[in-house]
């Protein structure tokens, strides 16, 4: 087997050279270069790097130590072996110490010993070369790392400067916001507050707000319990104890994650001015509608007397005209009454009168009164009640007001259902919660329309689905939400709509904790 590795041997004795050459050939070394003259060997070494140099110690023109010293200057990492006699042993040891010679081998040598040293010498040179290459690679990598570190420091410094500028700008914006801004953690403890928040909560030091429970600083006028999924809080006030007044506020919440912790940003707006404007407007509407009721009732009664013939005979043409006038006056009176009802609910001047009654019976009674409106479009009511329609759900609520809600929702479904269809009325019970769904199969609603459907004076949809006053659904919401309280034996109410365009719509309201008992008729 051929063994790679360039070897240079220098010795002035032909017998030694021939012996080494033969031995190395037998052992499989293929690249062996032999010289009798050290000078010629040095010329060869200058042009041909080698992995092992073997030199005799005693030579006529140049001794081995001199030769190896010059060879080391040419190739410092090449392994060197010195051949010496027993008498030159001390000089060989000195050469090892001074020149760093790998080994000295005494003549006569053992073949196994010299072959092992030759192999070890070649391996040593290769390891030193590899180590040198690794050191060079590390130096290059270290240089690049230093350059990258310097560049990174410059970028970090630049980025820090930009962040400081952005932070200053952000703090300036936050501190000069017209609205109060508060950050609180998952335990509702205030972490940070801007200048406007300090003023709104009547404090001069941020530390006075830090750590306080945010929801202990605000009061819900309707005793409504905060729901975690709420994004906008209405009907809340802040107590200004210094000036002995209440400050109405509207609060928008946004969840954020800071340092892997859930926090909430509350943007609080003082709506005192808006509330005062609303009060003046509502008082004006209430006064106006109240004053309109008397002449309208007088007009309707006068038209009734005339139509009944109590003031003399009336021709058919005049009756038709007077009937139209009466219908218009009744519609106007209905609008006036609706406006008054809205005002009473919003002002808190209307109180619920709760009794125990059958929800299914109330639905049937209301549907029966509206059944004449089904004839024209060939519509039908489909009732789906608990216990296969044989049960009664007894609830605790204001019967007249819930009747008004059902009437509004059924009237809405009738108005917008397609011909020859069914209007489904579903009642479901879960624990003490009663839910009513009224499903129509009309033109449906878009999400945009649903979001504003229960607003005051909403006309249904952007497609002009309705030409009504827009107070029916708004009043229904007010009635259901008026049932929202935490008093013993009370119930919590919510109303909402779902639907898609051309796929109909479902209006639902839920009265939580309202069921007194479920009866099953046998």
């Amino acid at each position: 087997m051929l063994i790679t590795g360039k070897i240079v041997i220098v010795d002035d004795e032909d017998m030694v050279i021939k012996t080494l050459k033969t031995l190395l050939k037998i052992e499989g070394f293929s690249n062996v270069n032999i010289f009798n003259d050290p000078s010629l060997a040095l010329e060869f070494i200058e042009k041909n790097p080698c992995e092992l140099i073997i030199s005799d110690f005693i030579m006529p023109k140049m001794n081995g130590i001199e030769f190896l010293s010059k060879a080391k200057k040419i190739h410092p990492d090449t392994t060197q072996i010195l051949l010496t006699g027993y008498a030159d042993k001390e000089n060989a040891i000195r050469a090892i110490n001074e020149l760093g010679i790998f080994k000295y081998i005494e003549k006569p040598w053992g073949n196994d010993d010299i072959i092992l040293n030759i192999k070890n010498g070649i391996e040593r040179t290769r390891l030193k070369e590899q180590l040198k290459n690794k050191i060079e690679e590390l130096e290059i990598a270290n240089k690049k790392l230093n350059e990258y570190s310097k560049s990174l420091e410059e970028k970090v410094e630049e980025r820090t400067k930009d962040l400081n500028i952005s932070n200053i700008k952000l703090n300036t914006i936050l501190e000069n916001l017209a609205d109060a801004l508060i950050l609180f953690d998952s335990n509702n403890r205030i972490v940070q507050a801007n200048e406007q928040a300090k003023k709104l909560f009547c404090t001069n030091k941020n530390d006075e707000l830090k750590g306080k429970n945010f929801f202990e600083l605000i009061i819900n006028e309707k005793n409504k319990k905060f729901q975690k999924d709420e994004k906008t809080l209405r009907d809340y006030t802040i107590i200004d104890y210094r000036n002995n007044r209440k400050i109405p506020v509207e609060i928008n919440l946004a969840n954020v994650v800071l340092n892997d912790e859930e926090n909430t940003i509350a943007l609080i707006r003082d709506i005192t001015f808006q509330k005062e404007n609303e009060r003046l407007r509502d008082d004006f509407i209430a006064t106006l509608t109240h004053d309109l009721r008397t002449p309208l009732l007088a007009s309707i009664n006068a038209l009734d007397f005339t139509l009944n013939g109590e003031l003399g005979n009336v021709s058919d043409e005049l009756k038709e005209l007077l009937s139209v006038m009466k219908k218009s006056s009744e519609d106007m009176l209905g609008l006036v009454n609706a406006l008054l009802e809205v005002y009473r609910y919003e002002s808190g001047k209307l109180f619920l009168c709760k009794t125990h009654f059958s929800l299914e019976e109330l639905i049937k009674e209301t549907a029966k009164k509206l059944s004449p409106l089904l004839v024209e479009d060939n519509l039908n009511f489909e009732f789906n009640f608990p216990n296969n329609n044989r049960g009664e759900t007894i609830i605790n609520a204001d019967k007249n007001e819930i009747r008004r809600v059902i009437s509004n929702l059924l009237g809405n479904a009738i108005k917008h259902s397609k011909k020859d269809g069914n209007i489904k009325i579903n009642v479901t019970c879960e624990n003490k919660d009663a839910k009513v769904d009224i499903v129509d199969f009309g033109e449906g609603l878009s999400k945009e329309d649903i979001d504003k459907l229960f607003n005051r004076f909403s006309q249904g949809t952007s497609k002009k689905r309705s030409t009504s006053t827009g107070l029916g659904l708004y009043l229904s919401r007010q009635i259901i939400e008026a049932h929202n309280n935490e008093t013993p034996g009370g119930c919590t109410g919510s109303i909402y709509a779902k639907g898609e365009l051309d796929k109909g719509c479902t209006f639902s309201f839920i009265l939580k904790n309202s069921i007194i008992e479920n009866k099953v008729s046998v």
Side-chain angles (χ1 to χ4, degrees):
M1 180 180 70
L2 295 178
I3 300 175
T4 59
K6 187 177 286 187
I7 302 173
V8 173
I9 299 175
V10 182
D11 200 309
D12 60 333
E13 296 183 18
D14 290 335
M15 180 61 68
V16 173
I17 289 174
K18 288 179 181 178
T19 302
L20 280 173
K21 186 175 182 180
T22 302
L23 178 62
L24 291 173
K25 185 176 182 180
I26 293 171
E27 291 295 329
F29 289 92
S30 60
N31 196 349
V32 180
N33 303 277
I34 298 174
F35 298 92
N36 296 106
D37 188 342
S39 300
L40 295 176
L42 289 172
E43 292 178 4
F44 178 82
I45 290 171
E46 283 186 11
K47 298 177 182 178
N48 302 279
C50 54
E51 293 174 306
L52 180 66
I53 299 174
I54 302 174
S55 173
D56 187 19
F57 180 57
I58 302 297
M59 293 183 292
K61 295 182 178 181
M62 187 185 303
N63 67 40
I65 293 176
E66 292 176 15
F67 166 71
L68 291 176
S69 178
K70 292 180 179 180
K72 191 172 188 65
K73 292 179 180 178
I74 299 172
H75 295 299
D77 295 327
T78 300
T79 301
Q80 298 176 341
I81 294 177
L82 183 65
L83 300 177
T84 180
Y86 179 77
D88 301 318
K89 186 174 181 180
E90 290 184 5
N91 291 328
I93 293 172
R94 180 167 53 84
I96 289 175
N97 293 330
E98 292 179 359
L99 298 178
I101 293 173
F102 173 59
K103 288 280 187 178
Y104 74 88
I105 299 176
E106 296 183 21
K107 298 177 182 178
W109 58 75
N111 289 342
D112 292 339
D113 182 56
I114 195 169
I115 291 300
L116 178 63
N117 281 296
I118 288 172
K119 290 181 178 179
N120 289 340
I122 292 173
E123 182 67 20
R124 178 175 179 269
T125 300
R126 290 177 179 175
L127 289 173
K128 288 177 70 176
E129 184 66 25
Q130 291 176 9
L131 180 61
K132 183 180 178 181
N133 292 338
K134 291 295 182 184
I135 291 172
E136 289 177 354
E137 290 176 5
L138 287 172
E139 288 177 349
I140 293 171
N142 188 53
K143 184 179 179 181
K144 290 182 178 179
L145 183 61
N146 289 334
E147 292 174 354
Y148 176 76
S149 177
K150 184 178 179 181
S151 174
L152 185 61
E153 287 177 2
E154 292 174 354
K155 288 181 179 179
V156 169
E157 184 178 353
E158 183 180 350
R159 183 60 179 158
T160 302
K161 184 178 178 181
D162 291 341
L163 286 173
N164 288 334
I165 294 172
S166 298
N167 191 45
I168 291 170
K169 289 180 179 178
L170 181 60
N171 285 333
T172 303
I173 292 171
L174 293 179
E175 291 302 322
N176 290 279
L177 275 177
D179 296 329
L181 187 77
I182 282 180
L183 177 71
F184 58 88
D185 60 22
S186 57
N187 295 318
N188 302 328
R189 299 294 174 184
I190 295 175
V191 177
Q192 189 174 351
N194 70 348
E195 193 65 31
Q196 191 61 29
K198 301 172 198 175
K199 293 178 181 178
L200 189 62
F201 288 92
C202 304
T203 178
N204 295 320
K205 295 180 180 179
N206 195 26
D207 290 341
E208 291 184 21
L209 286 177
K210 276 187 177 179
K212 289 187 177 181
N213 189 310
F214 174 71
F215 289 99
E216 291 179 357
L217 300 176
I218 58 177
I219 300 171
N220 185 268
E221 291 293 296
K222 297 182 178 180
N223 295 322
K224 182 181 177 183
K225 191 175 181 181
F226 169 68
Q227 303 295 324
K228 286 190 176 181
D229 58 347
E230 288 186 88
K231 298 301 180 185
T232 301
L233 306 183
R234 297 183 177 89
D235 303 318
Y236 278 84
T237 60
I238 296 171
I239 305 298
D240 180 357
Y241 292 102
R242 294 182 183 180
N243 299 305
N244 193 27
R245 67 188 182 103
K246 291 182 179 180
I247 304 173
V249 293
E250 183 175 277
I251 305 170
N252 291 303
L253 302 177
N255 296 327
V256 294
V257 177
L258 299 174
N259 298 324
D260 297 326
E261 292 183 2
E262 290 188 3
N263 289 265
T264 303
I265 295 175
L267 189 65
I268 310 165
R269 174 165 296 178
D270 183 347
I271 56 172
T272 302
F273 182 73
Q274 294 94 313
K275 284 289 185 181
E276 180 63 19
N277 283 341
E278 288 178 8
R279 186 189 66 78
L280 292 173
R281 180 200 61 202
D282 291 342
D283 285 348
F284 170 75
I285 292 174
T287 302
L288 179 63
T289 52
H290 184 272
D291 291 344
L292 282 173
R293 290 184 71 192
T294 301
L296 283 171
L297 284 169
S299 175
I300 292 169
N301 289 334
L303 289 169
D304 270 337
F305 283 135
T306 305
L307 288 169
N308 292 336
E310 295 182 17
L311 301 178
N313 294 328
V314 180
S315 64
D316 292 339
E317 292 82 359
L318 187 56
K319 277 186 177 182
E320 184 176 350
L321 178 60
L322 293 175
S323 296
V324 172
M325 292 175 63
K326 180 186 174 185
K327 181 64 169 62
S328 296
S329 297
E330 288 174 341
D331 290 343
M332 181 64 74
L333 182 61
L335 173 58
V336 168
N337 287 333
L339 285 170
L340 277 173
E341 290 296 322
V342 168
Y343 171 74
R344 289 192 183 113
Y345 271 104
E346 290 185 340
S347 64
K349 294 179 180 179
L350 187 63
F351 299 96
L352 299 176
C353 180
K354 294 184 179 181
T355 58
H356 297 178
F357 61 91
S358 167
L359 179 59
E360 289 85 356
E361 285 300 320
L362 180 63
I363 291 173
K364 288 178 181 179
E365 289 173 10
T366 308
K368 186 175 181 180
K369 289 181 181 179
L370 296 174
S371 59
L373 301 177
L374 303 175
V375 177
E376 183 178 350
D377 291 329
N378 193 29
L379 299 172
N380 291 293
F381 286 134
E382 180 182 320
F383 300 99
N384 297 299
F385 295 157
N387 304 313
N388 299 320
N389 297 336
R390 292 183 291 112
E392 281 187 303
T393 305
I394 307 300
I395 65 172
N396 179 36
D398 190 313
K399 186 174 183 180
N400 289 329
E401 298 304 325
I402 298 300
R403 179 188 285 111
R404 189 196 298 270
V405 173
I406 296 169
S407 179
N408 282 336
L409 297 183
L410 287 179
N412 185 73
I414 292 170
K415 188 182 299 181
H416 303 300
S417 288
K418 295 178 181 178
K419 291 184 177 182
D420 304 319
N422 287 344
I423 296 171
K424 293 184 178 181
I425 307 168
N426 306 326
V427 174
T428 54
C429 302
E430 184 175 350
N431 297 326
K432 289 189 177 251
D433 302 341
K435 181 184 178 186
V436 177
D437 299 313
I438 296 175
V439 186
D440 71 61
F441 298 92
E443 58 195 59
L445 290 166
S446 67
K447 184 182 183 304
E448 180 185 0
D449 294 327
I450 289 175
D451 290 341
K452 60 186 179 183
L453 195 61
F454 292 96
N455 294 340
R456 183 161 44 176
F457 302 118
S458 172
Q459 292 298 310
T461 76
S462 55
K463 296 174 64 176
K464 301 296 182 185
R465 185 175 186 243
S466 173
T467 57
S468 66
T469 63
L471 289 174
L473 293 178
Y474 177 75
L475 186 57
S476 297
R477 191 190 83 181
Q478 294 292 323
I479 292 170
I480 295 300
E481 289 184 352
H483 283 74
N484 185 351
N485 60 70
E486 299 300 326
T487 57
C491 61
T492 302
S494 61
I495 186 168
Y496 56 91
K498 294 188 295 183
E500 296 181 37
L501 288 174
D502 300 321
K503 293 186 179 180
C505 191
T506 300
F507 285 83
S508 305
F509 68 87
I510 302 173
L511 296 172
K512 293 185 178 179
N513 196 32
S514 63
I515 298 177
I516 304 303
E517 61 178 320
N518 283 333
K519 295 181 179 180
V520 179
S521 302
V522 180

